[in-house]
Amino acid sequence: MFDYETLRLIWWALMGILLIGFALTDGFDLGVAALLPFVGRTDAERRMVINSIGPTWEGNQVWFILAGGAIFAAWPFVYAISFSGFYLAMFLVLAALILRPVGFKYRSKRPDPAWRSRWDWALFVGGFVPALVFGVAVGNVLSGAPFRLDSDLRAFFDGSFLGLFTPFTLVCGLLSVAMLVLHGSAWLAIKIEHGPVHDRARKFGTVAGIASLALFAIGWGFVAYGDIGYRIIGAIDPSGPSNPLHTTSELARGGWLANYALYPWIIIAPALGFGGAAVALVGIRRGSEGAAFAGSSASALGIIATVGLSMFPFILPSSIDSHSSLTVWNASSSAKTLGIMLFVTVVLLPIVVAYTAWAYKVMFGRVTTQDVATNPDFY
């Protein structure tokens, strides 16, 4: 039905959609968890915060699993290099995420305040650490990762865990935290009854909104004026074999801004990033909860889309080898594999979306102090 070039483009877009879906759904879970010790002062308040995401957090993680599976099947080079090169960072994320289900299940098993407080901080770690590391990982993708491929396409990663943290990648990590905390604050404003927790969530949302705008602008400055960005040298064959060694790339200052001259319409992405955060900030300040959540969602969508559209056709550039950078055109699976996966996705993804929408509809409504005190199914 589609040629090889089109299939590659479709799967590049689908990978972005899955990552955005993860940010929009599990993103507010991470933001709420990062806010837990600060917006909830008493045990009842913290239980309200936990149960605002309690019915949906497990389902939201499906987007994370789908994105990982899509990278594995559609972009095997990307999966092999990123998951092996960033192994310690991935392990840190998984260890933090493991704390979430344990924290949800065990936190209220005992009435001891010290016991519950420790699990509250474990849930905080389970929200803050993944948000930070995901942003740092994106910063490293933009900066270029220190990997190389030999003549047999074996990958070698020459970096270190501490080397992942640079001023630019830390800005990206903090932007990720601010973006998701803003999203989590907007969610709490919708889901929690009006009262102290609701008011604290709005205050933290205001700080996160301002931080999102400032950090996104700082990151844009790094990209525009720093030694960040790559470009391909020579001809490109969008339907060519999946062999990165056939592509030559080089470091180019401001290289990630070149696409804005070629495709002016993509300015919509950073406009959404800035505009969505501004709308969320205004919505939070004025008590317009729907506008705040819509704005935080638009901001997350815009920020993630800005990365993907600015880098196109790069997916993971190499900072140490000009013949190892991975692009949309040289790092995909075969046309047959992409075609079969596309058929399966067209059938199953709408089911996932429909079920998710139904689940949110069924569980819609604010969490109240009375619910926490009387509902036996609450955490």
Side-chain angles (χ1 to χ4, degrees):
M1 183 179 297
F2 300 107
D3 59 29
Y4 200 9
E5 176 184 354
T6 303
L7 283 170
R8 283 168 160 168
L9 278 174
I10 290 172
W11 271 102
W12 171 77
L14 281 173
M15 183 170 67
I17 289 170
L18 292 174
L19 292 174
I20 290 170
F22 169 64
L24 296 185
T25 55
D26 207 34
F28 66 72
D29 294 335
L30 298 176
V32 167
L35 286 169
L36 174 61
F38 309 106
V39 297
R41 304 286 174 80
T42 67
D43 182 66
E45 289 178 350
R46 291 185 175 182
R47 288 189 65 202
M48 277 198 295
V49 173
I50 290 171
N51 284 285
S52 72
I53 58 175
T56 56
W57 71 271
E58 288 178 289
N60 291 340
Q61 287 195 143
V62 168
W63 292 96
F64 182 59
I65 297 168
L66 285 174
I71 295 173
F72 170 76
W75 309 98
F77 284 108
V78 178
Y79 180 89
I81 293 170
S82 60
F83 278 67
S84 59
F86 300 149
Y87 179 81
L88 289 178
M90 294 290 183
F91 181 83
L92 183 62
V93 168
L94 291 176
L97 289 177
I98 288 170
L99 289 174
R100 289 208 298 171
V102 181
F104 279 120
K105 301 298 182 182
Y106 281 87
R107 189 254 180 209
S108 297
K109 294 295 184 183
R110 293 174 57 185
D112 180 22
W115 167 272
R116 295 189 172 188
S117 178
R118 285 192 291 269
W119 283 117
D120 290 338
W121 284 103
L123 288 170
F124 163 79
V125 171
F128 178 83
V129 171
L132 178 67
V133 175
F134 286 144
V136 169
V138 171
N140 277 275
V141 170
L142 287 164
S143 301
F147 71 92
R148 55 188 172 84
L149 299 171
D150 67 8
S151 58
D152 295 321
L153 296 179
R154 292 178 299 179
F156 298 88
F157 191 84
D158 294 342
S160 64
F161 176 71
L162 292 179
L164 300 176
F165 298 90
T166 66
F168 173 67
T169 61
L170 285 174
V171 167
C172 293
L174 293 175
L175 172 59
S176 175
V177 172
M179 177 184 78
L180 297 184
V181 167
L182 173 62
H183 201 34
S185 299
W187 176 256
L188 285 175
I190 290 176
K191 287 292 291 183
I192 297 292
E193 67 177 0
H194 289 274
V197 178
H198 184 276
D199 294 340
R200 293 184 202 118
R202 290 178 58 194
K203 290 180 181 178
F204 280 102
T206 300
V207 174
I210 296 171
S212 294
L213 290 168
L215 290 166
F216 195 28
I218 292 171
W220 190 270
F222 268 101
V223 170
Y225 302 107
D227 291 328
I228 299 172
Y230 293 84
R231 65 184 175 192
I232 295 175
I233 303 172
I236 301 173
D237 184 3
S239 298
S242 289
N243 188 334
L245 301 181
H246 294 172
T247 303
T248 303
S249 63
E250 67 176 5
L251 181 68
R253 173 174 290 200
W256 297 144
L257 302 182
N259 280 345
Y260 292 89
L262 296 174
Y263 316 105
W265 62 269
I266 68 175
I267 195 67
I268 294 172
L272 271 178
F274 283 112
V279 169
L281 188 58
V282 172
I284 287 174
R285 296 303 300 163
R286 294 185 176 180
S288 180
E289 295 151 358
F293 189 73
S296 66
S297 299
S299 181
L301 187 158
I303 290 171
I304 296 171
T306 296
V307 175
L309 292 171
S310 299
M311 292 183 61
F312 182 84
F314 285 92
I315 299 179
L316 183 61
S318 170
S319 62
I320 62 173
D321 186 3
S322 61
H323 295 288
S324 295
S325 293
L326 308 182
T327 73
V328 174
W329 314 125
N330 69 17
S332 72
S333 294
S334 67
K336 184 176 182 180
T337 299
L338 296 181
I340 294 172
M341 288 174 55
L342 181 60
F343 174 78
V344 174
T345 302
V346 167
V347 173
L348 296 182
L349 187 58
I351 297 175
V352 173
V353 173
Y355 171 77
T356 301
W358 175 81
Y360 276 95
K361 180 180 179 181
V362 170
M363 299 170 187
F364 186 77
R366 294 184 184 274
V367 179
T368 67
T369 306
Q370 183 179 2
D371 292 333
V372 171
T374 60
N375 194 324
D377 297 321
F378 270 22
Y379 289 119

